Amino acid sequence: MKRRKRINLRESALIILRQRYLLKNDKNEIIETPEELFERVAKAVASAEANFSKDPYICEKYAEKFYEMMANLDFLPNSPTLMNAGCPLGQLSACFVLPIEDSLDSIFETLKYTALIHKSGGGTGFSFSKIRPKGDIVASTQGVASGPLSFIKVFDSATEAIKQGGKRRGANMGILRIDHPDIEEFILAKRNENTLTNFNLSVAITDQFMSALEKKEKFPLINPRNKKVVRYVDPEEIFFLIAESAWETGDPGVIFIDTINKYNPTPHLGEIEATNPCGEQPLLPFESCNLGSINLTNFVKDGKIDWELLKETIHLAVRFLDDVIEINRFPVPQIDKITRLTRKIGLGVMGFADFLIKLNISYSEPSAIEIAKKIMKFINEESIKASYELAKERGNFPAYPGSIWDNPETPFMRNATTTTIAPTGSISLIAGVSSGIEPLFGIYYERKTLENVFIKEFHPLFIEILERENFSENEIESILEEVKEKGILRDMKLPEKIKRLFVTTYEIAPEQHLAIQSAFQKYTHNAVSKTINLPKEATVEDVKNIYLKAYKLGLKGVTVFRYGSKGEQVIYIGGSE
Ligand code: UDP
């Protein structure tokens, strides 16, 4: 093996890597270094190159390029790829959607597949909308149906038991259409803090509902078994209930299912009913997707964006993600089949908030929206070009005929989608940057890992700027002491130019959060993971307004979180909690 330069990782990154990513032997001893981890992943992924080339050195060549890209922390693939590439399990995707039909057979078959996916570190999304409502008839037993909620609970308990082999929190998305007769029970399901802890819930809102809401017309709830109207509801009441629950507990989120299907790249294969757990990846039943994110902070050189380097990285990252599909070992044949038909990949970004700081732009300012559009437009366009070039060498994705790409402008396309904005909850910690496109949570934070270890840190760019602004050592020490207590800079005596750059999530107006989400969504094929964080004082009315704006902006979904509304949070601001 080549001698490798030590990768420059922060202490918090090392903690996470040691806990969950570096391979261990059967005595639970760590048997690889971070350099060896990236080498393992690079080699495994680059082995796919042999499928398309006779060049005997092609795998080595790309293994080296992939290694450099990861070791520089310019790009990281989603966690399952880092954990499982080059290992016997070999399941590399973060996102899955599984079908649930209105039969015990289908429900329990999917439960088994869910267990297999969780074991490998993947997250699962389901639509429970086809299940007949509570109290409906069951012909075979002449009994009474127990409804979607009872089955969501079964999936939640199973997830609890598996806990993804200890490496990852069991993550599920449960979706119910807004016209399902059990919709109120679904909306209220997580008001009790200790239920469905392994589920995010989202209501699939339809255009028909939004129109009924606007026109103040009664809205029909329909039994999915026989398509008959069960009763009519006041859409305003349902809308209020959703906003109130989200205000209280953060759940449910909403997805705009018709908007999602409007952009379905392969409508000839069927309708999209659900997304993965964090909402950024709408998928067909049995489809999976592997994600990867570019660390934007690495592309700022002396306050300017290095577009050439970014372009190179985008092209290499698309190739990497397409190679992942080649070597991926899927837990069940149906997933293998449809994933290879569409070959969806999801390239996104992390470190957006830190990137803004490096460019001397405040997350709160209009220029943050402009730069978001500019950067994502570039990534989207280049990723399409990269996929186009790959298709020339490797062939189009098999479901290309009949897809949205099937036109003279794009005679070649390797992947039905190329871009997704993931939360990057873990990989941003490994890269040591802010997560996804979220603003900073605090300038000092304590973050709880899966193993309940608290990582305590000051924002590294904050310390850097204090040093650059020539504060003395003593001054820096007392500033940090105060930041540790307060978490944010708002009430501190510091120069405005510093305070404006280090603005934190609950200080940013909800409209600005939405505008940033919308800027990224405009240039993203799949969806955008973003939480609209609200201060504690926000009202249910505020939440409703956010939903209405999100719908009008054409977003595919929206999640709100009001500070302090849930019992347990993963990140606390400041040291006071
Ligand atoms: N995910 C999961 N369990 C987790 C975290 C994430 O199953 O504990 C899945 C889920 O589908 C989520 C996706 O991975 O939407 C991407 O999440 P993230 O970007 O945070 O993952 P990372 O690659 O940073 O670990």
Side-chain angles (χ1 to χ4, degrees), residues 508-545:
I508 296 167
E511 290 72 22
Q512 181 74 358
H513 278 279
L514 271 181
I516 296 283
Q517 182 176 343
S518 168
F520 276 96
Q521 183 62 73
K522 193 158 184 235
Y523 300 106
T524 299
H525 290 151
N526 294 301
V528 175
S529 167
K530 171 97 187 72
T531 303
I532 310 299
N533 281 306
L534 302 173
K536 206 167 181 150
E537 320 73 77
T539 63
V540 177
E541 236 5 77
D542 293 336
V543 177
K544 273 168 59 182
N545 285 332

Short mmCIF file of all heavy atoms in Angstrom, two decimals, residues 508-545:
data_model
loop_
_atom_site.label_atom_id
_atom_site.label_comp_id
_atom_site.label_asym_id
_atom_site.label_seq_id
_atom_site.Cartn_x
_atom_site.Cartn_y
_atom_site.Cartn_z
N ILE A 508 -32.48 33.82 12.22
CA ILE A 508 -32.74 34.07 10.80
C ILE A 508 -34.25 34.00 10.54
O ILE A 508 -34.93 33.08 11.02
CB ILE A 508 -31.98 33.03 9.93
CG1 ILE A 508 -30.47 33.24 10.14
CG2 ILE A 508 -32.36 33.12 8.47
CD1 ILE A 508 -29.61 32.12 9.61
N ALA A 509 -34.76 34.96 9.78
CA ALA A 509 -36.20 35.00 9.53
C ALA A 509 -36.65 33.75 8.77
O ALA A 509 -35.94 33.29 7.86
CB ALA A 509 -36.53 36.24 8.71
N PRO A 510 -37.83 33.19 9.13
CA PRO A 510 -38.33 32.00 8.42
C PRO A 510 -38.38 32.21 6.91
O PRO A 510 -38.10 31.28 6.15
CB PRO A 510 -39.73 31.81 8.99
CG PRO A 510 -39.74 32.54 10.28
CD PRO A 510 -38.72 33.61 10.22
N GLU A 511 -38.71 33.43 6.47
CA GLU A 511 -38.78 33.71 5.02
C GLU A 511 -37.41 33.49 4.37
O GLU A 511 -37.33 33.04 3.23
CB GLU A 511 -39.22 35.16 4.75
CG GLU A 511 -40.66 35.47 5.09
CD GLU A 511 -40.93 35.51 6.58
OE1 GLU A 511 -39.98 35.73 7.37
OE2 GLU A 511 -42.10 35.31 6.97
N GLN A 512 -36.36 33.84 5.11
CA GLN A 512 -35.02 33.67 4.56
C GLN A 512 -34.66 32.18 4.49
O GLN A 512 -34.09 31.71 3.51
CB GLN A 512 -34.00 34.44 5.42
CG GLN A 512 -32.56 34.36 4.93
CD GLN A 512 -32.31 35.21 3.69
OE1 GLN A 512 -33.22 35.84 3.16
NE2 GLN A 512 -31.07 35.20 3.21
N HIS A 513 -35.03 31.43 5.54
CA HIS A 513 -34.84 29.97 5.50
C HIS A 513 -35.50 29.40 4.24
O HIS A 513 -34.90 28.63 3.51
CB HIS A 513 -35.50 29.31 6.70
CG HIS A 513 -34.69 29.35 7.97
ND1 HIS A 513 -33.67 28.46 8.21
CD2 HIS A 513 -34.76 30.13 9.06
CE1 HIS A 513 -33.15 28.70 9.42
NE2 HIS A 513 -33.80 29.72 9.96
N LEU A 514 -36.75 29.80 4.03
CA LEU A 514 -37.51 29.29 2.88
C LEU A 514 -36.87 29.70 1.56
O LEU A 514 -36.79 28.91 0.62
CB LEU A 514 -38.94 29.84 2.91
CG LEU A 514 -39.99 29.05 3.66
CD1 LEU A 514 -41.33 29.76 3.54
CD2 LEU A 514 -40.13 27.62 3.14
N ALA A 515 -36.42 30.96 1.51
CA ALA A 515 -35.82 31.46 0.27
C ALA A 515 -34.56 30.68 -0.09
O ALA A 515 -34.30 30.40 -1.26
CB ALA A 515 -35.52 32.95 0.40
N ILE A 516 -33.80 30.32 0.93
CA ILE A 516 -32.58 29.53 0.67
C ILE A 516 -32.98 28.13 0.19
O ILE A 516 -32.43 27.60 -0.79
CB ILE A 516 -31.70 29.44 1.95
CG1 ILE A 516 -31.18 30.82 2.36
CG2 ILE A 516 -30.57 28.43 1.76
CD1 ILE A 516 -30.03 31.38 1.55
N GLN A 517 -33.95 27.52 0.87
CA GLN A 517 -34.42 26.19 0.44
C GLN A 517 -34.89 26.26 -1.02
O GLN A 517 -34.57 25.40 -1.84
CB GLN A 517 -35.56 25.71 1.35
CG GLN A 517 -36.04 24.31 0.96
CD GLN A 517 -37.11 23.76 1.91
OE1 GLN A 517 -37.30 24.25 3.02
NE2 GLN A 517 -37.80 22.72 1.46
N SER A 518 -35.66 27.31 -1.32
CA SER A 518 -36.22 27.46 -2.65
C SER A 518 -35.11 27.68 -3.69
O SER A 518 -35.18 27.14 -4.80
CB SER A 518 -37.20 28.62 -2.61
OG SER A 518 -37.57 28.99 -3.88
N ALA A 519 -34.09 28.46 -3.33
CA ALA A 519 -32.97 28.69 -4.26
C ALA A 519 -32.30 27.37 -4.62
O ALA A 519 -31.99 27.10 -5.79
CB ALA A 519 -31.96 29.63 -3.62
N PHE A 520 -32.09 26.52 -3.63
CA PHE A 520 -31.46 25.22 -3.90
C PHE A 520 -32.41 24.29 -4.67
O PHE A 520 -32.00 23.59 -5.58
CB PHE A 520 -30.99 24.55 -2.61
CG PHE A 520 -29.64 25.04 -2.17
CD1 PHE A 520 -29.50 26.05 -1.24
CD2 PHE A 520 -28.49 24.51 -2.74
CE1 PHE A 520 -28.24 26.52 -0.86
CE2 PHE A 520 -27.23 24.96 -2.38
CZ PHE A 520 -27.10 25.97 -1.43
N GLN A 521 -33.69 24.32 -4.29
CA GLN A 521 -34.65 23.43 -4.96
C GLN A 521 -34.75 23.72 -6.46
O GLN A 521 -34.89 22.81 -7.27
CB GLN A 521 -36.04 23.53 -4.31
CG GLN A 521 -37.07 22.59 -4.90
CD GLN A 521 -36.69 21.12 -4.73
OE1 GLN A 521 -36.76 20.57 -3.65
NE2 GLN A 521 -36.25 20.49 -5.82
N LYS A 522 -34.65 25.00 -6.78
CA LYS A 522 -34.76 25.41 -8.18
C LYS A 522 -33.76 24.66 -9.07
O LYS A 522 -34.03 24.40 -10.23
CB LYS A 522 -34.49 26.93 -8.22
CG LYS A 522 -34.85 27.58 -9.50
CD LYS A 522 -35.07 29.07 -9.33
CE LYS A 522 -35.52 29.58 -10.68
NZ LYS A 522 -34.85 30.60 -11.26
N TYR A 523 -32.61 24.33 -8.52
CA TYR A 523 -31.57 23.67 -9.31
C TYR A 523 -31.22 22.28 -8.77
O TYR A 523 -30.07 21.85 -8.84
CB TYR A 523 -30.32 24.56 -9.36
CG TYR A 523 -30.63 25.89 -10.00
CD1 TYR A 523 -30.74 27.04 -9.23
CD2 TYR A 523 -30.86 25.97 -11.37
CE1 TYR A 523 -31.05 28.26 -9.82
CE2 TYR A 523 -31.19 27.18 -11.96
CZ TYR A 523 -31.29 28.32 -11.18
OH TYR A 523 -31.61 29.51 -11.77
N THR A 524 -32.20 21.61 -8.18
CA THR A 524 -31.96 20.26 -7.66
C THR A 524 -33.03 19.31 -8.22
O THR A 524 -34.22 19.61 -8.10
CB THR A 524 -32.00 20.27 -6.11
OG1 THR A 524 -30.99 21.14 -5.63
CG2 THR A 524 -31.78 18.89 -5.53
N HIS A 525 -32.60 18.21 -8.82
CA HIS A 525 -33.58 17.27 -9.41
C HIS A 525 -34.47 16.64 -8.36
O HIS A 525 -35.67 16.50 -8.55
CB HIS A 525 -32.86 16.11 -10.11
CG HIS A 525 -32.17 16.53 -11.36
ND1 HIS A 525 -31.06 15.90 -11.83
CD2 HIS A 525 -32.45 17.52 -12.23
CE1 HIS A 525 -30.68 16.49 -12.95
NE2 HIS A 525 -31.51 17.48 -13.20
N ASN A 526 -33.86 16.19 -7.27
CA ASN A 526 -34.64 15.54 -6.23
C ASN A 526 -35.12 16.63 -5.28
O ASN A 526 -35.53 17.67 -5.73
CB ASN A 526 -33.82 14.43 -5.58
CG ASN A 526 -33.56 13.31 -6.59
OD1 ASN A 526 -34.50 12.71 -7.12
ND2 ASN A 526 -32.30 13.06 -6.92
N ALA A 527 -35.04 16.39 -3.98
CA ALA A 527 -35.53 17.44 -3.08
C ALA A 527 -34.41 17.93 -2.17
O ALA A 527 -33.26 17.51 -2.28
CB ALA A 527 -36.73 16.93 -2.29
N VAL A 528 -34.79 18.83 -1.27
CA VAL A 528 -33.82 19.53 -0.43
C VAL A 528 -34.13 19.24 1.03
O VAL A 528 -35.25 19.44 1.47
CB VAL A 528 -33.92 21.05 -0.69
CG1 VAL A 528 -33.02 21.84 0.24
CG2 VAL A 528 -33.58 21.37 -2.15
N SER A 529 -33.13 18.79 1.76
CA SER A 529 -33.33 18.59 3.19
C SER A 529 -33.05 19.91 3.89
O SER A 529 -31.94 20.44 3.82
CB SER A 529 -32.38 17.52 3.69
OG SER A 529 -32.35 17.54 5.09
N LYS A 530 -34.09 20.46 4.53
CA LYS A 530 -33.91 21.75 5.22
C LYS A 530 -34.97 21.84 6.30
O LYS A 530 -36.13 21.48 6.06
CB LYS A 530 -34.07 22.88 4.20
CG LYS A 530 -34.12 24.27 4.77
CD LYS A 530 -32.77 24.96 4.70
CE LYS A 530 -32.78 26.28 5.43
NZ LYS A 530 -32.82 26.13 6.91
N THR A 531 -34.57 22.31 7.47
CA THR A 531 -35.55 22.55 8.52
C THR A 531 -35.73 24.04 8.66
O THR A 531 -34.75 24.79 8.71
CB THR A 531 -35.06 21.95 9.86
OG1 THR A 531 -34.82 20.56 9.65
CG2 THR A 531 -36.10 22.12 10.95
N ILE A 532 -37.01 24.46 8.69
CA ILE A 532 -37.27 25.87 8.93
C ILE A 532 -37.34 26.02 10.44
O ILE A 532 -38.33 25.66 11.08
CB ILE A 532 -38.61 26.31 8.27
CG1 ILE A 532 -38.67 25.87 6.80
CG2 ILE A 532 -38.82 27.81 8.44
CD1 ILE A 532 -37.61 26.43 5.88
N ASN A 533 -36.25 26.49 11.03
CA ASN A 533 -36.20 26.61 12.49
C ASN A 533 -36.90 27.90 12.93
O ASN A 533 -36.69 28.95 12.34
CB ASN A 533 -34.75 26.63 12.97
CG ASN A 533 -34.19 25.23 13.01
OD1 ASN A 533 -34.77 24.33 13.63
ND2 ASN A 533 -33.09 25.01 12.33
N LEU A 534 -37.74 27.76 13.94
CA LEU A 534 -38.50 28.90 14.42
C LEU A 534 -38.16 29.17 15.88
O LEU A 534 -37.91 28.24 16.64
CB LEU A 534 -40.00 28.60 14.35
CG LEU A 534 -40.57 28.24 12.98
CD1 LEU A 534 -42.00 27.80 13.12
CD2 LEU A 534 -40.47 29.44 12.06
N PRO A 535 -38.17 30.44 16.27
CA PRO A 535 -37.93 30.74 17.68
C PRO A 535 -39.10 30.22 18.53
O PRO A 535 -40.19 29.96 18.00
CB PRO A 535 -37.86 32.26 17.72
CG PRO A 535 -38.53 32.73 16.48
CD PRO A 535 -38.40 31.64 15.47
N LYS A 536 -38.86 30.11 19.82
CA LYS A 536 -39.86 29.57 20.73
C LYS A 536 -41.18 30.33 20.65
O LYS A 536 -42.27 29.75 20.76
CB LYS A 536 -39.30 29.64 22.15
CG LYS A 536 -39.89 28.61 23.06
CD LYS A 536 -39.12 28.50 24.34
CE LYS A 536 -39.82 27.40 25.13
NZ LYS A 536 -38.96 26.68 25.99
N GLU A 537 -41.11 31.65 20.41
CA GLU A 537 -42.33 32.49 20.42
C GLU A 537 -43.19 32.32 19.17
O GLU A 537 -44.29 32.87 19.10
CB GLU A 537 -42.01 33.99 20.49
CG GLU A 537 -40.90 34.48 21.36
CD GLU A 537 -39.52 34.17 20.81
OE1 GLU A 537 -39.02 34.83 19.89
OE2 GLU A 537 -38.92 33.22 21.38
N ALA A 538 -42.72 31.61 18.16
CA ALA A 538 -43.49 31.49 16.90
C ALA A 538 -44.87 30.90 17.19
O ALA A 538 -45.05 30.13 18.13
CB ALA A 538 -42.74 30.63 15.92
N THR A 539 -45.86 31.26 16.35
CA THR A 539 -47.23 30.79 16.58
C THR A 539 -47.65 29.76 15.54
O THR A 539 -46.96 29.57 14.53
CB THR A 539 -48.21 31.99 16.45
OG1 THR A 539 -48.13 32.46 15.10
CG2 THR A 539 -47.88 33.10 17.42
N VAL A 540 -48.79 29.11 15.79
CA VAL A 540 -49.34 28.14 14.84
C VAL A 540 -49.62 28.84 13.50
O VAL A 540 -49.40 28.28 12.42
CB VAL A 540 -50.63 27.50 15.40
CG1 VAL A 540 -51.24 26.54 14.39
CG2 VAL A 540 -50.35 26.77 16.71
N GLU A 541 -50.07 30.08 13.60
CA GLU A 541 -50.33 30.88 12.39
C GLU A 541 -49.05 31.02 11.56
O GLU A 541 -49.09 30.90 10.33
CB GLU A 541 -50.80 32.27 12.85
CG GLU A 541 -52.11 32.84 12.40
CD GLU A 541 -53.05 31.99 11.58
OE1 GLU A 541 -53.73 31.09 12.14
OE2 GLU A 541 -53.11 32.25 10.38
N ASP A 542 -47.92 31.25 12.23
CA ASP A 542 -46.63 31.36 11.52
C ASP A 542 -46.35 30.07 10.74
O ASP A 542 -45.89 30.11 9.61
CB ASP A 542 -45.47 31.57 12.52
CG ASP A 542 -45.55 32.93 13.21
OD1 ASP A 542 -46.17 33.84 12.64
OD2 ASP A 542 -45.00 33.06 14.32
N VAL A 543 -46.63 28.94 11.39
CA VAL A 543 -46.37 27.64 10.74
C VAL A 543 -47.25 27.50 9.50
O VAL A 543 -46.79 27.10 8.43
CB VAL A 543 -46.61 26.47 11.73
CG1 VAL A 543 -46.42 25.13 11.03
CG2 VAL A 543 -45.67 26.58 12.93
N LYS A 544 -48.53 27.87 9.64
CA LYS A 544 -49.44 27.79 8.49
C LYS A 544 -48.94 28.65 7.33
O LYS A 544 -48.95 28.23 6.17
CB LYS A 544 -50.84 28.26 8.90
CG LYS A 544 -51.68 27.15 9.48
CD LYS A 544 -52.95 27.64 10.14
CE LYS A 544 -53.86 28.42 9.22
NZ LYS A 544 -55.06 28.92 9.93
N ASN A 545 -48.48 29.84 7.68
CA ASN A 545 -47.97 30.73 6.63
C ASN A 545 -46.75 30.14 5.91
O ASN A 545 -46.59 30.31 4.71
CB ASN A 545 -47.61 32.10 7.21
CG ASN A 545 -48.87 32.89 7.49
OD1 ASN A 545 -49.89 32.68 6.83
ND2 ASN A 545 -48.82 33.75 8.49
#
